Amino acid sequence: MKGVTKLKYKKIPEATIRRLSRYSRSLEEMEGKGEKVVSSALLAKKCAVNAAQVRKDLAYFGEFGIRGVGYYVEDLLNNIKKILGSNKEWKMAVIGIGNLGAALLSYKDFLKQNYTIVAAFDIDPPRVIGRVSEKLGKPAEVIHINRIKEVARERKIDIGVIATPPSEAQSVANLLVEAGVRGILNFAPAQVTVPAGFVVKDVFFTTILDNLAYLLSTETGYSIDRK
Amino acid sequence: MKGVTKLKYKKIPEATIRRLSRYSRSLEEMEGKGEKVVSSALLAKKCAVNAAQVRKDLAYFGEFGIRGVGYYVEDLLNNIKKILGSNKEWKMAVIGIGNLGAALLSYKDFLKQNYTIVAAFDIDPPRVIGRVSEKLGKPAEVIHINRIKEVARERKIDIGVIATPPSEAQSVANLLVEAGVRGILNFAPAQVTVPAGFVVKDVFFTTILDNLAYLLSTETGYSIDRK
DNA sequence: TCAATTTTGTGACCCCTTTCACAAATCCTA
DNA sequence: TAGGATTTGTGAAAGGGGTCACAAAATTGA
């Protein structure tokens, strides 16, 4: 068994993956500036982490640097993208076109290019189409949730974005699972569980704000969050 | 020195604060259902964590339970809110009214009641007012960024939400610091640094999506994120 | 009142992540 | 070609957070 597939030998910390994403962003910036080589020390500084941390993170996946030199920006960036899977095109669907869902649709061009929203679902399309069209500036297509299985297959949806009220989150997740959508980004502040093989990531604005509020309430002062 | 101020003796893990926010949400639900008492085991189950974890988290701040009984829902909820600072009214300002900023404004009623958006800033208000009004359905007030210092003081703004392009993030952060706004919620995918006494929390959609993509790319399968 | 039951609070252990420190590898210059 | 400088990759140490297991405290029922 050669070192073909990563992650068979060690489990990669979530934190490492988060940092890789950060490195990726920094590297893109550097690449844009035409910089060819970067040291772990410089990359670390740009990302506000420890230099050894940078090297350890990368070491999980291979040897990408040259001793005495550093890392080739372009090469490292490509490798990180390969690791993260962000070289692939990911197709998303937003479910629940209320304020949040509509906001996400209009925000879509802010997302990195390899993530695209290819469908919008709601339980009552006629009711919400006006709102979305207003935002998008054209007659919008909002599909009834009961067609999600068929549409998910047709459009090869990878990620479902739950933007419904919390009470509906679990049943929407169930539909996504049934439809074979393996990734779920959950904006509804509710516990969602899925079977093995599926992945849920929560984005709870209230939790983030509560965190901020806590830090502001304490006299602790200085804190830059890197989560 | 009595046990007046928390956190003088131990540093509280970020993860603990995140979980407190989660407990808070569960407790609110229980309170709504009229439940009077809850055990660490039940609360843990609702929040998908270990029961000992719940007790440890709470133990950082005091003794809120009764052995052999459990925790009084209302009492515990109040205590957690006090700890998090989420019993206070927090006033926010959104800076940068592009797609994202406008989306956040229209999303504002989704936020928990104790967080309210009280101002919107942009470098070119006339240009963006149309867009915001369209979303909010009324003539919107967007203030020029150069008035932020004065307005922040008048309206007692606690938290600044950076929704500008990444290139402007740091300079907006500098303005917020100057204006004495201690909390920053940063949606712009860029490194932002602030002096001691100020707090930055990042919300990078690309990082979250990269994480999801990574998990989907690996054969690891099962994973429910609790970050 | 006392024994059985429940459930908290917490010390001790364990594991994982981060940091440190240095050998190994490469470059550069003379 | 050799010596000095730089920077990676990594074993070892340190630090932190999570889990376990149990004593302490409260309740219940006889």
Side-chain angles (χ1 to χ4, degrees), chain B residues 93-96 100-101 104 159-166 168-174 176 183-189 192 194 200-201 203:
Chain B
V94 175
I95 300 98
L100 174 56
L104 289 170
I159 297 170
V161 180
I162 299 180
T164 63
E168 310 308 317
Q170 183 62 60
S171 59
V172 168
N174 294 345
L176 287 167
I184 294 177
L185 192 63
N186 176 34
F187 281 89
V192 161
V194 291
V200 178
K201 298 259 342 162
V203 183

Side-chain angles (χ1 to χ4, degrees), chain B residues 104-163:
Chain B
L104 289 170
L105 290 177
S106 70
Y107 176 66
K108 68 165 184 274
D109 56 347
F110 259 67
L111 299 170
K112 269 194 350 201
Q113 286 189 324
N114 60 318
Y115 300 99
T116 48
I117 297 175
V118 301
F121 296 93
D122 197 278
I123 194 132
D124 186 2
R127 197 199 45 172
V128 300
I129 278 179
R131 162 178 10 214
V132 181
S133 299
E134 186 183 286
K135 279 170 197 283
L136 301 180
K138 58 175 181 182
E141 182 201 30
V142 178
I143 306 171
H144 194 283
I145 183 70
N146 67 14
R147 288 186 54 214
I148 195 168
K149 214 163 164 177
E150 135 206 11
V151 175
R153 203 152 302 154
E154 275 171 23
R155 303 193 187 175
K156 298 188 196 315
I157 290 168
D158 303 293
I159 297 170
V161 180
I162 299 180

